[in-house]
């Protein structure tokens, strides 16, 4: 059973951002499920993953340009994860240093949108992994490795995400 609770409530900017992220997730989720209904599940997943990955790479290049020190993963985290974004996903830092950032996401507005559309848990989990291709693309553009551990969409308490320097 997926639990995707919100604890940060009543923050106007966070609510607006959650709404915008949810709207984007609605488009993606409906595009995917309508493709599946048309018998094109594999094709839709491939196209959506490619688009999300390219979006991540584009965003990652922009973040890299804005980073005062892109070789320092903690500087990347400060550039990428604004205070509003941290509140939006209810993020806590488990590790944050020059080599690595380990994050716990306690809420996901994308998942909330998919749940609100009535998607089953398996579809939510698939869409979650597809959405994470954006973060994989960001990591790639930054020259980092990316790890996705537990996810709320898998029924876990949090999403565990890591960005870290590639071993040389």
């Amino acid at each position: 059973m997926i639990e995707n609770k919100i604890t940060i409530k009543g923050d106007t900017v966070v609510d607006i951002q959650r709404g915008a992220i949810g709207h984007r997730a609605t488009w993606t989720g409906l595009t995917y499920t309508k493709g599946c209904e048309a018998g094109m599940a594999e094709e839709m997943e491939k196209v959506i993953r490619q688009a999300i990955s390219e979006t991540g790479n584009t965003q990652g290049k922009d973040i890299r340009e804005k980073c005062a020190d892109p070789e320092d993963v903690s500087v990347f985290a400060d550039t990428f994860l604004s205070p509003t974004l941290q509140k939006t996903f209810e993020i806590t830092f488990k590790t944050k240093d020059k080599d690595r950032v380990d994050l716990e996401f306690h809420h996901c507005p994308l998942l909330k949108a998919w749940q609100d559309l009535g998607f089953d848990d398996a579809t939510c989990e698939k869409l979650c992994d597809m959405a994470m291709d954006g973060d994989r693309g960001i990591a790639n553009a930054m020259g980092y490795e990316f790890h996705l551990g537990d996810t709320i969409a898998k029924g876990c308490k949090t999403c565990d995400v890591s960005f870290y320097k590639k071993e040389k």
Side-chain angles (χ1 to χ4, degrees):
M1 173 93 182
I2 296 174
E3 287 191 38
N4 187 28
K5 296 182 180 180
I6 295 172
T7 60
I8 297 173
K9 300 176 184 177
D11 183 313
T12 303
V13 176
V14 168
D15 291 344
I16 290 168
Q17 185 155 321
R18 284 179 175 154
I21 291 169
H23 189 73
R24 180 184 76 197
T26 296
W27 281 1
T28 305
L30 290 173
T31 299
Y32 175 69
T33 58
K34 294 302 176 191
C36 291
E37 290 169 12
M40 302 184 311
E42 288 181 28
E43 296 91 338
M44 291 307 299
E45 181 177 349
K46 180 180 178 185
V47 168
I48 290 169
R49 283 186 180 277
Q50 288 173 342
I52 292 171
S53 181
E54 187 172 329
T55 300
N57 274 293
T58 299
Q59 185 180 11
K61 288 174 188 172
D62 186 51
I63 293 166
R64 186 170 181 79
E65 288 177 13
K66 292 177 181 173
C67 270
D69 182 2
E71 299 305 314
D72 185 325
V73 184
S74 69
V75 173
F76 155 76
D78 291 339
T79 306
F80 173 41
L81 301 168
S82 70
T84 299
L85 192 65
Q86 290 177 44
K87 286 189 217 174
T88 299
F89 286 89
E90 303 194 16
I91 297 171
T92 56
F93 289 88
K94 302 308 280 182
T95 305
K96 183 180 173 190
D97 61 37
K98 66 181 180 62
D99 296 320
R100 180 180 195 96
V101 173
D102 297 306
L103 309 160
E104 281 186 347
F105 290 61
H106 296 269
H107 172 71
C108 181
L110 292 94
L111 178 57
K112 182 181 182 322
W114 301 325
Q115 290 174 306
D116 288 350
L117 289 167
F119 294 164
D120 62 36
D121 290 359
T123 301
C124 288
E125 186 176 346
K126 170 71 80 175
L127 287 166
C128 168
D129 191 66
M130 291 164 60
M132 295 310 295
D133 283 352
D135 294 278
R136 292 178 184 105
I138 290 169
N140 181 61
M142 291 298 302
Y144 302 153
E145 295 289 340
F146 175 84
H147 176 75
L148 177 63
D150 290 345
T151 66
I152 299 168
K154 288 181 186 173
C156 301
K157 186 176 178 182
T158 62
C159 295
D160 297 329
V161 173
S162 299
F163 294 88
Y164 52 97
K165 288 184 179 179
K166 292 182 178 182
E167 295 203 20
K168 298 184 184 195

